[in-house]
Amino acid sequence: MAIIGLDKFVVIIKHTEWLDTGSKSAIMATRVQEGGVLEAKKERLKSPPLYKVLLLNDDFTPMDFVVVVLQTIFAMNRERATTVMLRVHREGVGECGTFTRDVATAKVDQVVDLARQHQHPLQCTMEEA
């Protein structure tokens, strides 16, 4: 097995397979035994599933606290945070953003933890987008 570095690409050669790890999609070329011709096979990587983080309405959490949560955890400006807070208040649920599973889980945990620290019953969930 030989490893050859070419600028930004790393090519690993093993027997008759070539693997290009320098791009978003993996390109594999295999040698055809009979004619000695290389045949390129391009595989596209699937993007990870995304999840919507949702804030749920309750009758006890102050609106100002919800705005602060949206600004600090979801990096919203005050206008956008107020719009989402009013949607939560009027419709019962508001979307805070769309993230990969790990990030969405972390955001939900941060919201619930912050609400508990301030003794508010604010609920936050996630669902597949």
Side-chain angles (χ1 to χ4, degrees):
M1 179 156 117
I3 298 177
I4 303 169
L6 301 172
D7 292 329
K8 295 180 182 177
F9 297 101
V10 175
V11 180
I12 299 174
I13 304 169
K14 182 179 180 182
H15 303 293
T16 59
E17 294 182 353
W18 295 50
L19 177 62
D20 176 7
T21 59
S23 64
K24 280 188 171 181
S25 58
I27 301 172
M28 294 180 63
T30 57
R31 184 182 304 238
V32 177
Q33 297 274 334
E34 299 165 0
V37 178
L38 292 178
E39 177 184 311
K41 179 180 175 185
K42 194 171 188 175
E43 295 179 10
R44 298 222 44 127
L45 302 176
K46 288 176 61 176
S47 59
L50 298 177
Y51 291 82
K52 292 190 285 187
V53 176
L54 306 172
L55 217 51
L56 306 178
N57 189 33
D58 64 71
D59 294 332
F60 304 103
T61 305
M63 293 180 183
D64 291 337
F65 179 76
V66 174
V67 171
V68 169
V69 166
L70 291 167
Q71 287 178 307
T72 56
I73 296 176
F74 296 98
M76 293 184 186
N77 61 28
R78 186 153 184 86
E79 182 179 339
R80 175 79 176 125
T82 303
T83 303
V84 173
M85 179 273 299
L86 288 173
R87 183 171 296 129
V88 170
H89 180 69
R90 292 183 182 139
E91 299 173 15
V93 66
E95 184 177 335
C96 303
T98 305
F99 308 96
T100 60
R101 186 166 139 195
D102 293 340
V103 173
T105 302
K107 298 276 188 192
V108 168
D109 291 343
Q110 289 174 347
V111 170
V112 172
D113 289 345
L114 188 60
R116 296 301 167 261
Q117 286 174 3
H118 290 86
Q119 299 177 350
H120 296 301
L122 183 63
Q123 292 294 309
C124 187
T125 62
M126 63 185 223
E127 68 179 29
E128 198 163 351

